[in-house]
Structure formats: structure tokens, C-alpha cells
């Protein structure tokens, strides 16, 4: 409690235990509707304390009721050794060495955490490749989505099977297939017969997690043979080049606003727009939408806090470009099928079907986004409505640009490692022959020329003959070449 910023909050601690941090009183009642606590002072045990008890009322915005200065063990063996006690003026007991190590190692400083991120990335990259291979004319979108999710579940289920501690793993974000002017989140129910056609621009979005460590990927594929040309090539090149620039700017010392400004300049060079409302989030264990956010387009209605990127952070970089205005609309709420449990909301649902569905969601998908396909469809239609009406679920709406507009999507996961930025999810693009070029744009070319690896400090000369140094140099050269080729 002493860690609360008292410049922002008026904190009152009421307790019967004497102490300089407390209002020495006992609670005689709680007025929940009036948001107030009724109290009565108690004696502090002093010889001269003969005053009558004083009754008073304390208003509250947030009320916390907790165990006091010392909790009883009731003589149970092991409680003192393993329980965490809240003690006046002391705080929590010190963590054991094992607990402290486990707490510390939940970021990229732990090789095990890096391995789990990369394992999830390997699975989702293969799942993406599998879905792309099945994107043929007349393929049903729902079948493609199901195949993507099934691949992730199967592959994730095959690793970490023989460990002592159960490890959660599987789909972190349901497979979505959004076509042409549809921007995102189209993952239809089993009864939907929508198919993909020749020359469709298909956006594939999916995610996998291992022990809550999430890897997501988004890719754009045109269902055709041969090079992609015209405005389709422009919009895909804009998204891919913006993503390459973002990769080089998401590094310690740079700010989120640097990325926002840069990707808009890249899109403009291809006569395209960055789509508004798209957010790139920091990823943490079991958190797909962390508090650190890169916004695609800033405007008076949508602002995010400015921050600097830091070493050992993980981000899902999300870039969506359009040949239209970049201001997508929700056309039909019934198309929304992706939801996430709002863990900070509670409400006693009235309908039996709603309670059934919400219980199923809480058991199967307590944290990660899920598709309504995974629920019993008849009950889900009724139950989801009441859950939504009381903010128990966060929807991922299906958004659209105007008919005739083309939309491209590139998403990748990047680890900010001590030796540089490590992009762990991606898929090669088809050959692009855009009508626009960035050859005469010095600013964009300078961004693309930036390396993704961090140079070691010290300034000493490299020793000759080091195989590892040669590999690093080759990798750096390959990264720069890849960025240049992607914009050709």
C-alpha cells in the first residue's frame, strides 16, 4: 500500500493495530451503495487514553479489505515457511531464491523464455505456410481458418509434453482470412460459405503461444500465378516496406512516435494510406495487448502515451495499408466472431444460455482471444449478445474499406535482444512489380539501410578468422539486402 503514489491518490489505512501509518479505528459497517465506511476509534493502550470512542465516516472510491499486521498460522506446519504474510511497515516477506529467479526469468534475459517465443514462432510460421498453400480459387474461408487453428493446436501439443509442470500452449489468436477491401478479423462460423477467388488479395492473421509467450504473424497473398502488378503490388509493397522500416526503428532509444511517423511516409511514397485504428502492442506472458502501444495514425480522438523502446521487450508490429482513405467501417456486427474475455469486468448474467456460454469461455479461453466457432453455435448466438451488452467480452470487429479499395497486411513479432532486433515471424512475399518507387526517397532509403543488429561497444579491432563474426556479418548483409529487394 505504501507504494501507491499519494500525489495521485488520497490513501487512508484504518486498522486496530497501533502504528504511525494507520488511522487507529475499527470498522463498524460498510455502506456499499453510498461508498462509505463507518468507523469507531479504539484506544492505543496508553495509560492516559480515557477519551470516549469517536464515531466517524470515511468516503471511498475504492475499498480494500485485507488481513492485518499479523496473520495467524493456526499451528499448521509449513505455513510460516511457504505463505506470504502482509506485515505492517515491512511489506511482503522476501522471495526465496527460486521464486526470485522465476520472477526475474519471465523476460528475454531467460534462455528458456526466448526458446518458447521462438518455438511458438516456428509453429505459426509453418501454419501460415500451410494456409497459403491451400489458398486456391473456390476454397472456403472457414475451412482455411479451421486448418490454420488445427495445425497450431497439433504442433503446439507435440512439444513440452513430458515436463513436470503443465505448460499451456496453443492458439494465441484465431486464424483470420480477410479478402480485398476487408481489413481484418474475418473468421466466419461453420455455416458460412464464403470462398476465395482468382486474383483475390488475401490477408492471413494468426498467432501461437507456448506457456503464454506469444508469436503472431500477418501476411498478404494474391491468388494468382506470376508477379503481382498494378495497385495490388503498390499496396503490398507499401505494407512490407513500412514493416521493414518499423523493424529498424523498434529499438532501444527510439520512441513509438518515430515508428508512427515513418510508416505513414512510406505508405505515401506508394500513394497509399496507413489504415487508422491499427495498434501494435507490446507482448508479455499471457498478454497479447500490452500497455505499450504504437498507433498507426494519430488524430485528436485516438492518442497513446509516448515511450521509448527498451531492451528485452517483445512487440507485435502490425502494419495495414490501403489504396483507399484508410478509414475502415464496421458494416455488419453479425460478422464479428473473435472475442477476448475482459478479465476486469464482472456481471451476473440473467439468461441461462449466457451463463452457459460465459462459463465455457472462462474455462477454455480465460485470457487469449477465441473464435465463436469454438462454442456451441446455437447457444453462442444468444449468450454472446448479453455478454457483450455488459462488457464481459472485448470484440474484434470485422472492418471494411470501400468496395474496390485494396488492403494489405503485414504483421510480425520482434524480440529486442541485447545484440539487436530479432524478427521471429515472417513469410516470403510473391514477386512484386509496383508502379511506384522509393528510389528517389533518401529518408526511406536511410531507414532501410539501418542494421537490425547492435554493434558491440569497445571499438577494438576484430580478430581475424572468427567463424562467428563472419556469420554475423553475412546475416547483417542479408538483412539489408532483403529490405532492399522487398521494395523493388
Amino acid at each position: 500500500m505504501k507504494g501507491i503514489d499519494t500525489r495521485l491518490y488520497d490513501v487512508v489505512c484504518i486498522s486496530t493495530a497501533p502504528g504511525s501509518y494507520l488511522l487507529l479505528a475499527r470498522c463498524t459497517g460498510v455502506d456499499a451503495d453510498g461508498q462509505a465506511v463507518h468507523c469507531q476509534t479504539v484506544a492505543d493502550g496508553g495509560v492516559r487514553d480515557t477519551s470516549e470512542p469517536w464515531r466517524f465516516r470515511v468516503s471511498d472510491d475504492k475499498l480494500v479489505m485485507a488481513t492485518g499486521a499479523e496473520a495467524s498460522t493456526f499451528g499448521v506446519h509449513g505455513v510460516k515457511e511457504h505463505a506470504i504474510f502482509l506485515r505492517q511497515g515491512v511489506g511482503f516477506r522476501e522471495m526465496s531464491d527460486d521464486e526470485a529467479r522465476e520472477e526475474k526469468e519471465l523476460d528475454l534475459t531467460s534462455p528458456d523464455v526466448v526458446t518458447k517465443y521462438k518455438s511458438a514462432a516456428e509453429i505459426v510460421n509453418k501454419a501460415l505456410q500451410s494456409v497459403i498453400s491451400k489458398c486456391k480459387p473456390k476454397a472456403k474461408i472457414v475451412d482455411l481458418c479451421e486448418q490454420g487453428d488445427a495445425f497450431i493446436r497439433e504442433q503446439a501439443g507435440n512439444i513440452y509434453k513430458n515436463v513436470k509442470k503443465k505448460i499451456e500452449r496453443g492458439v494465441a489468436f484465431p486464424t483470420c482470412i480477410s479478402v480485398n477491401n476487408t481489413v481484418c478479423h474475418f473468421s466466419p462460423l461453420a455455416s458460412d460459405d464464403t470462398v476465395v477467388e482468382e486474383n483475390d488479395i488475401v490477408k492471413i492473421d494468426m498467432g501461437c503461444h507456448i506457456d503464454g509467450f506469444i508469436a503472431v504473424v500477418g501476411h498478404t497473398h494474391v491468388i494468382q500465378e506470376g508477379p503481382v502488378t498494378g495497385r495490388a503490388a503498390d499496396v503490398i509493397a507499401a505494407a512490407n516496406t513500412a514493416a521493414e522500416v518499423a523493424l529498424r526503428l523498434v529499438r532501444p532509444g527510439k520512441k513509438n512516435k518515430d515508428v508512427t511517423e515513418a510508416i505513414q511516409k512510406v505508405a505515401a511514397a506508394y500513394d497509399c494510406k496507413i489504415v487508422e485504428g491499427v495498434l501494435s502492442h507490446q507482448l508479455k506472458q499471457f498478454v497479447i495487448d500490452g500497455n505499450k502501444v504504437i498507433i498507426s495514425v494519430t488524430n485528436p480522438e485516438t492518442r497513446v502515451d509516448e515511450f521509448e523502446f527498451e531492451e528485452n521487450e517483445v512487440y507485435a508490429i502490425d502494419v495495414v495499408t490501403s489504396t483507399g482513405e484508410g478509414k475502415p467501417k464496421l458494416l455488419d456486427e453479425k460478422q464479428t466472431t473473435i472475442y477476448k474475455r475482459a478479465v476486469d469486468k464482472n456481471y451476473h448474467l440473467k439468461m441461462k444460455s449466457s451463463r452457459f456460454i460465459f462459463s465455457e469461455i472462462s474455462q477454455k479461453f480465460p485470457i487469449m482471444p477465441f473464435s465463436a466457432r469454438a462454442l456451441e453455435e446455437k447457444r453462442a448466438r444468444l449468450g454472446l449478445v448479453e455478454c457483450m451488452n455488459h462488457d464481459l467480452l472485448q470484440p474484434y470487429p470485422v472492418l471494411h474499406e470501400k468496395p474496390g479499395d485494396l488492403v494489405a497486411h503485414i504483421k510480425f513479432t520482434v524480440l529486442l535482444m541485447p545484440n539487436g532486433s530479432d524478427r521471429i515471424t515472417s513469410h516470403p512475399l510473391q514477386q512484386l512489380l509496383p508502379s511506384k518507387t522509393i528510389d528517389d526517397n533518401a529518408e526511406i532509403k536511410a531507414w532501410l539501410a539501418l542494421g537490425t543488429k547492435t554493434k558491440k561497444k569497445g571499438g577494438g579491432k576484430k580478430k581475424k578468422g572468427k567463424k562467428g563474426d563472419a556469420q554475423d556479418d553475412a546475416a547483417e548483409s542479408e538483412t539489408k539486402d532483403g529490405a532492399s529487394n522487398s521494395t523493388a
Side-chain angles (χ1 to χ4, degrees), residues 386-401:
E386 190 181 4
C387 292
M388 284 292 298
N389 287 342
H390 297 285
D391 300 323
L392 296 179
L393 299 175
Q394 173 190 326
Y396 290 79
V398 180
L399 302 177
H400 303 266
E401 281 278 67

Side-chain angles (χ1 to χ4, degrees), residues 94-321:
E94 290 185 9
M95 291 183 178
S96 67
D97 290 342
D98 289 342
E99 289 170 332
R101 193 179 304 113
E102 185 175 346
E103 181 75 16
K104 181 181 177 183
E105 291 179 352
L106 289 180
D107 65 13
L108 299 182
T109 57
S110 164
D112 187 43
V113 169
V114 175
T115 298
K116 288 173 181 176
Y117 272 119
K118 292 192 173 183
S119 297
E122 183 179 359
I123 291 170
V124 82
N125 286 335
K126 289 180 179 178
L128 173 60
Q129 185 176 356
S130 173
V131 171
I132 290 174
S133 69
K134 294 177 174 62
C135 282
K136 308 292 184 183
K138 304 303 179 183
K140 287 178 66 174
I141 289 180
V142 66
D143 291 343
L144 295 172
C145 293
E146 286 285 9
Q147 288 164 9
D149 291 348
F151 186 98
I152 291 173
R153 284 194 296 266
E154 180 185 357
Q155 294 294 313
N158 288 335
I159 60 177
Y160 290 99
K161 291 194 297 186
N162 300 318
V163 294
K164 292 181 180 179
K165 180 183 175 183
K166 182 184 176 183
I167 290 182
E168 298 290 334
R169 56 206 188 276
V171 175
F173 195 87
T175 304
C176 299
I177 308 285
S178 307
V179 178
N180 297 332
N181 66 309
T182 303
V183 176
C184 57
H185 303 150
F186 189 71
S187 188
L189 299 176
S191 55
D192 191 287
D193 293 325
T194 307
V195 298
V196 294
E197 301 285 3
E198 186 79 24
N199 298 318
D200 276 349
I201 299 180
V202 178
K203 280 84 65 183
I204 305 163
D205 187 7
M206 59 203 326
C208 173
H209 80 94
I210 304 295
D211 196 20
F213 298 103
I214 302 163
V216 291
V217 70
H219 184 75
T220 302
H221 177 78
V222 183
I223 302 179
Q224 67 171 63
E225 297 293 333
V228 180
T229 60
R231 292 299 280 157
D234 289 342
V235 76
I236 297 173
N240 186 64
T241 307
E244 291 289 344
V245 168
L247 172 63
R248 287 152 175 78
L249 295 181
V250 177
R251 59 170 65 196
K254 290 290 186 180
K255 295 182 178 180
N256 53 341
K257 69 173 185 178
D258 299 331
V259 179
T260 300
E261 293 168 0
I263 62 174
Q264 291 180 62
K265 290 180 179 179
V266 172
Y270 289 95
D271 194 20
C272 294
K273 293 284 182 66
I274 294 290
V275 173
E276 294 183 4
V278 178
L279 301 175
S280 298
H281 287 275
Q282 183 184 10
L283 300 175
K284 294 185 176 182
Q285 188 181 30
F286 291 109
V287 179
I288 200 168
D289 50 2
N291 292 332
K292 285 190 172 183
V293 175
I294 307 165
I295 194 166
S296 56
V297 179
T298 55
N299 56 56
E301 289 77 33
T302 53
R303 294 180 180 275
V304 298
D305 293 336
E306 186 178 309
F307 67 89
E308 277 192 9
F309 301 106
E310 298 179 31
E311 196 174 285
N312 295 319
E313 292 180 334
V314 182
Y315 287 89
I317 305 302
D318 206 340
V319 179
V320 185
T321 53

